[in-house]
Amino acid sequence: MPESSLSITLIEPKADAKVSVAAPAPKNAMQKLLEKLGLKRDIDLALHLPLRYEDETRITRLRDAREGDMIQIEGEVVESEVVYKPRRQLLVKLDDGSDVCTLRFFNFYPNQQKALSVGNRIRARGEVRGGFLGWTMLHPHCKPAGGDLPTALTPVYPTMAGMPQAYLRKAVLSGLARAELSDTFAPGDLSQINPHALWTLRQALQFLHHPTPDVSLDTLMDHSHPAWQRLKAEELLAQQLSQLQSRRARAELRAPPLQGKVGDTLHARLLAALPFALTGAQQRVGFEIAKDMARNVPMHRLLQGDVGAGKTVVAALAATICMDAGWQCALMAPTEILAEQHFRKLVSWLEPLGITTAWLIGSQKTKARREALAMIESGEAKLVVGTHAVIQDKVRFQNLALAIIDEQHRFGVAQRLALRSKASVGPGHGDDKAHPFEPHLLMMTATPIPRTLAMSYYADLDVSTLDELPPGRTPIVTKVVNEARRGEVVQRIRAQVAEGRQVYWVCPLIEESEALDLTNATETHAELSHALQQAAGPGAAPVQVGLLHSRMPTDEKKAVMADFVAGKTAVLVSTTVIEVGVDVPNASLMVVEHAERFGLSQLHQLRGRVGRGAAASACVLLYSTGDAPRLGEAARERLRAMAETNDGFEIARRDLEIRGPGEFLGARQSGDAMLRFADLATDAALLEWARQEAPMMLDRYPHLAEKHVQRWLGTKAEFLKA
Ligand code: ADP
Ligand code: MG
């Protein structure tokens, strides 16, 4: 039943009455929107599965309705009037013979009002509420009564502004009809996991797009239905195959073997010069990395370790091995502030050993950049540190052999690819001209993925884990505090400052509005400066409070950061949650405002900014419930996890539990979410199946394997291999 023929269903039920109704975009614009949704091929459309379903297969009598049900009713309009209290609205009373329901519209067109005039018979679909006025529905979808009822549930697809469901439904339907859906593996292959999962791909897709009304909606929503099992197995297999393909392809590539040397090497001298001994974990991962680099196949390793675990020194030691072998090394960080910290640290370690380090960032003066580029090209600079600027076209390395990416999840796949391409050094360097060298790649992240998950999921990545913090750290005490007790928190800040300690105050980014974000931070800054002064009493020396927000020019940001690092400011108010990785050991208190708005791993990252010195450190998570009586379940779980543990891996595990792995991994892939359907927490058995199946399929049925990967990943396949 084509919904486009309906004249009275134009308005989506939106709580906000100010929303204007956008006309659907013209046809070629629709095509563009489909592409934006990633729906280019027939198979993409066929794999675009419903978010949920609506049951339009039956009419419910109001007498049988339950509060909050999404139902369809049919009856006669017995009253229809526009009232102005409290604001302009259309109230329509619909009598279905068993009871009466008031339909309420805040937005309506004259023709809708006409369609809803007294005496007309109407079918209305919406969420029914009981209450003082009897049954009501807010902005129900309405159409003339009568007409066929569909026999399958109506799918509701993920969409975007300007793309109406009706259009998307038709597009998906025709994509599904045209797509080539022959099986790449037999339904029976899955029977060991689930004896009921004997569905072909075609059956599964047809069912999931148009399930019969007798299905248990729960099994569709939690993806446990056998049709879902088939799709999840398909998806996991595609993911494993593509990673396996890229692992095999990588094995064909060549990288300069960077063998560790004995004697008076940079590596030995840096180790000797460090003011601390390496932890056992640092030694172990250092060994894993060195072993990879010694091979003539490019390393592809993820170094994961909690904030403060000491990844930088591991990276620096890897760099010295590379330089000892006579090759260049590059280190890239996602922000200028972070890159600069690395630069300073590495220079302080390596300059005394005679190493020249080049510095490359986007906002650099032309002259400085030209000099840096020249040093990199001539090989005078053995080490290059910077931001994305490191992978720009103009940058030519003399002989790059090791690329290190810090906070790798903040970089896109394209950037990782670009960095790799920097390495193909010219002829004369390789032992084989057909095989230009690729650099070894070391990626670092402080948002750990539980180890088992990482190992099985990233079939194309070797994982090293720093699971031990350097000694001498006092654990951070975390307190969850209601916003109402802000005054006490200010006192506490005052006390810390009086002891010569420093404090971070983090305001949440307000995503909808950068301007609001700024006002908010500016106000907090003023308010805090004032309150600290009051708390100190008259005549006390003023407490210097710095302000850092995302819209400041880089120079200003740097100056503010430098003042804080130097201890000139005691308190730093910041919205710039992006500056993870800053290292100010004297900071011993972190206050996070509206902590309930932050993600769990984000909170953990923030907390990692304190507790870097020997002093006892604390983290105060201020929360506000707003108008609600209490915090939502997920927010409470996040804050509880923060209060209960300091362990990044435990945090990651809880995060996984609270959010579900699809989102969990997705967030870490900076936009290129890899799993749409499977859920690694609940689908471990399917993942294991896919892991075993993938190598066999690749060996025995390479064409089927390729077809499978193309079908599922299409043009993304290349990308995922980065
Ligand atoms: P992250 O893993 O978060 O990048 P860093 O590399 O910034 O951590 O290290 C955090 C701090 O710990 C730095 O000040 C660093 O010098 C120090 N550090 C690293 N390794 C050790 C160690 N083995 N013993 C003592 N301090 C260490
Ligand atoms: Mg770091």
Side-chain angles (χ1 to χ4, degrees):
M1 181 191 26
E3 213 172 280
S4 50
S5 65
L6 306 172
S7 58
I8 50 178
T9 56
L10 281 171
I11 297 178
E12 285 288 326
K14 283 252 168 65
D16 187 350
K18 278 178 298 191
V19 177
S20 63
V21 183
K27 193 117 193 182
N28 55 349
M30 289 304 223
Q31 211 54 45
K32 283 217 182 80
L33 282 179
L34 280 181
E35 282 184 20
K36 258 198 178 157
L37 281 165
L39 307 178
K40 294 188 185 150
R41 310 168 300 164
D42 290 336
I43 185 71
D44 299 330
L45 286 160
L47 293 177
H48 192 64
L49 291 181
L51 268 181
R52 57 186 173 84
Y53 303 90
E54 279 173 6
D55 189 351
E56 295 178 64
T57 61
R58 63 189 138 207
I59 306 286
T60 304
R61 289 171 66 75
L62 281 165
R63 191 174 51 204
D64 305 325
R66 281 174 319 182
E67 165 84 22
D69 276 357
M70 206 42 199
I71 55 167
Q72 233 177 184
I73 55 175
E74 217 173 74
E76 185 182 327
V77 176
V78 291
E79 253 180 74
S80 179
E81 57 171 347
V82 176
V83 298
Y84 290 87
K85 273 184 187 168
R87 54 188 220 241
R88 184 170 180 268
Q89 53 183 301
L90 173 63
L91 293 181
V92 173
K93 288 214 161 111
L94 200 67
D95 185 344
D96 80 344
S98 76
D99 205 342
V100 176
C101 182
T102 304
L103 316 181
R104 187 197 288 266
F105 303 85
F106 287 108
N107 300 296
F108 53 93
Y109 292 124
N111 65 341
Q112 285 179 292
Q113 192 182 349
K114 196 161 153 252
L116 293 168
S117 16
V118 172
N120 287 0
R121 288 191 58 78
I122 297 295
R123 183 181 292 172
R125 180 165 51 84
E127 197 177 308
V128 71
R129 292 267 163 220
F132 183 62
L133 293 172
W135 294 118
T136 60
M137 275 186 187
L138 182 64
H139 289 175
H141 284 260
C142 296
K143 59 178 101 168
D148 293 340
L149 289 169
T151 52
L153 298 181
T154 310
V156 179
Y157 293 104
T159 184
M160 60 200 298
M163 167 64 69
Q165 280 294 327
Y167 187 92
L168 192 52
R169 260 175 222 155
K170 267 193 243 165
V172 168
L173 203 62
S174 54
L176 182 64
R178 281 189 310 257
E180 197 279 307
L181 294 174
S182 60
D183 277 348
T184 45
F185 62 90
D189 288 6
L190 286 177
S191 58
Q192 44 169 330
I193 296 163
N194 182 343
H196 304 291
L198 297 173
W199 294 55
T200 65
L201 176 62
R202 177 180 296 282
Q203 287 168 336
L205 282 176
Q206 274 168 352
F207 183 81
L208 291 177
H209 284 291
H210 302 286
T212 46
D214 57 350
V215 69
S216 139
L217 268 183
D218 288 345
T219 64
L220 289 186
M221 296 323 289
D222 71 8
H223 296 190
S224 63
H225 190 278
W228 269 115
Q229 302 273 320
R230 170 80 199 200
L231 280 199
K232 294 195 287 190
E234 292 251 345
E235 178 180 42
L236 287 166
L237 182 60
Q239 184 269 337
Q240 290 289 316
L241 280 172
S242 109
Q243 298 226 358
L244 202 60
Q245 280 177 333
S246 68
R247 179 178 278 273
R248 290 184 179 185
R250 192 183 316 282
E252 300 298 312
L253 299 175
R254 289 294 164 262
L258 307 171
Q259 249 124 23
K261 298 200 169 83
V262 286
D264 186 26
T265 58
L266 285 171
H267 186 261
R269 284 156 67 201
L270 174 56
L271 261 183
L274 286 176
F276 47 76
L278 296 185
T279 63
Q282 283 171 324
Q283 289 177 20
R284 190 191 71 240
V285 304
F287 183 69
E288 289 165 2
I289 293 166
K291 223 167 95 185
D292 277 3
M293 294 199 312
R295 301 179 58 214
N296 64 351
V297 176
M299 167 167 74
H300 200 229
R301 186 168 283 277
L302 178 70
L303 169 57
Q304 55 171 8
D306 209 346
V307 274
K311 293 181 289 294
T312 318
V313 70
V314 173
L317 286 165
T320 56
I321 294 179
C322 171
M323 295 184 284
D324 275 330
W327 294 78
Q328 282 175 307
C329 173
L331 189 153
M332 188 162 86
T335 68
E336 289 192 7
I337 288 180
L338 199 47
E340 189 167 335
Q341 285 220 352
H342 283 314
F343 180 71
R344 283 181 201 285
K345 190 143 234 170
L346 290 170
V347 166
S348 78
W349 282 337
L350 296 171
E351 205 170 50
L353 307 182
I355 294 296
T356 306
T357 306
W359 169 238
L360 265 188
I361 51 165
S363 63
Q364 218 159 10
K365 296 251 158 42
T366 321
K367 181 159 169 282
R369 162 184 308 254
R370 211 180 308 127
E371 282 170 12
L373 289 176
M375 285 195 327
I376 296 166
E377 187 154 10
S378 72
E380 185 191 340
K382 283 277 166 255
L383 179 63
V384 183
V385 177
T387 55
H388 300 75
V390 172
I391 50 172
Q392 276 162 5
D393 283 349
K394 292 222 177 74
V395 186
R396 298 213 196 301
F397 289 87
Q398 192 207 25
N399 62 353
L400 180 68
L402 172 65
I404 302 172
I405 305 182
D406 196 17
E407 307 292 345
Q408 67 96 20
H409 58 284
R410 310 255 330 259
F411 286 99
V413 180
Q415 288 150 344
R416 267 176 272 158
L417 278 174
L419 189 51
R420 276 171 54 189
S421 73
K422 285 286 167 205
S424 337
V425 291
H429 288 289
D431 50 357
D432 174 358
K433 283 187 189 150
H435 271 147
F437 280 153
E438 292 248 339
H440 295 285
L441 193 55
L442 177 63
M443 295 164 273
M444 306 200 285
T445 179
T447 43
I449 295 166
R451 192 192 186 118
T452 45
L453 192 57
M455 302 285 251
S456 48
Y457 184 72
Y458 290 121
D460 182 35
L461 206 55
D462 299 303
V463 180
S464 287
T465 303
L466 277 180
D467 49 8
E468 179 187 353
L469 289 183
R473 305 267 168 88
T474 4
I476 305 161
V477 177
T478 300
K479 288 245 154 62
V480 179
V481 176
N482 193 308
E483 165 71 29
R485 290 168 54 198
R486 200 181 172 99
E488 292 166 44
V489 176
V490 172
Q491 287 297 343
R492 185 153 180 185
I493 294 176
R494 179 70 226 179
Q496 288 291 305
V497 173
E499 283 178 33
R501 302 257 159 235
Q502 287 169 281
V503 178
Y504 294 99
W505 181 292
V506 180
C507 312
L509 274 171
I510 298 172
E511 287 191 5
E512 312 87 71
S513 157
E514 274 192 44
L516 209 59
D517 173 35
L518 176 55
T519 329
N520 183 42
T522 315
E523 275 169 14
T524 305
H525 175 254
E527 180 202 307
L528 205 59
S529 305
H530 180 73
L532 283 171
Q533 219 48 57
Q534 295 254 303
V543 177
Q544 299 300 329
V545 183
L547 172 64
L548 189 70
H549 61 77
S550 46
R551 297 182 103 197
M552 271 180 178
T554 311
D555 275 356
E556 224 175 292
K557 270 192 204 167
K558 271 195 221 161
V560 170
M561 215 42 232
D563 280 351
F564 191 66
V565 171
K568 284 190 203 154
T569 39
V571 180
L572 183 63
V573 174
S574 157
T575 61
T576 331
V577 298
I578 48 171
E579 308 305 348
V580 292
V582 292
D583 190 22
V584 181
N586 190 43
S588 58
L589 175 61
M590 150 110 12
V591 181
V592 183
E593 203 177 351
H594 280 297
E596 77 280 358
R597 295 188 194 162
F598 290 84
L600 188 47
S601 76
Q602 216 178 3
L603 285 175
H604 180 65
Q605 290 266 321
L606 283 171
R607 177 170 62 182
R609 299 308 113 219
V610 294
R612 304 199 141 223
S617 293
C619 173
V620 174
L621 302 175
L622 278 177
Y623 71 91
S624 151
T625 59
D627 298 334
R630 59 203 222 129
L631 282 178
E633 183 66 31
R636 245 180 311 145
E637 284 299 319
R638 289 196 296 270
L639 297 182
R640 181 175 309 140
M642 285 295 291
E644 283 174 4
T645 180
N646 269 315
D647 176 350
F649 289 93
E650 175 62 15
I651 293 275
R653 200 187 60 72
R654 300 257 197 125
D655 203 13
L656 193 65
E657 231 170 60
I658 299 170
R659 298 206 284 160
E663 202 187 330
F664 179 85
L665 283 170
R668 272 155 189 70
Q669 293 300 324
S670 21
D672 25 85
M674 299 172 102
L675 288 179
R676 291 146 70 191
F677 305 136
D679 177 330
L680 295 179
T682 51
D683 299 325
L686 286 173
L687 174 61
E688 193 46 41
W689 168 83
R691 225 158 72 87
Q692 290 175 12
E693 198 70 14
M696 288 193 319
M697 190 166 173
L698 213 48
D699 290 337
R700 288 195 217 150
Y701 310 104
H703 292 300
L704 273 183
E706 187 51 36
K707 174 170 150 182
H708 189 85
V709 170
Q710 280 308 315
R711 174 183 279 172
W712 272 88
L713 304 172
T715 46
K716 244 171 49 181
E718 269 317 299
F719 241 42
L720 293 181
K721 288 173 192 166

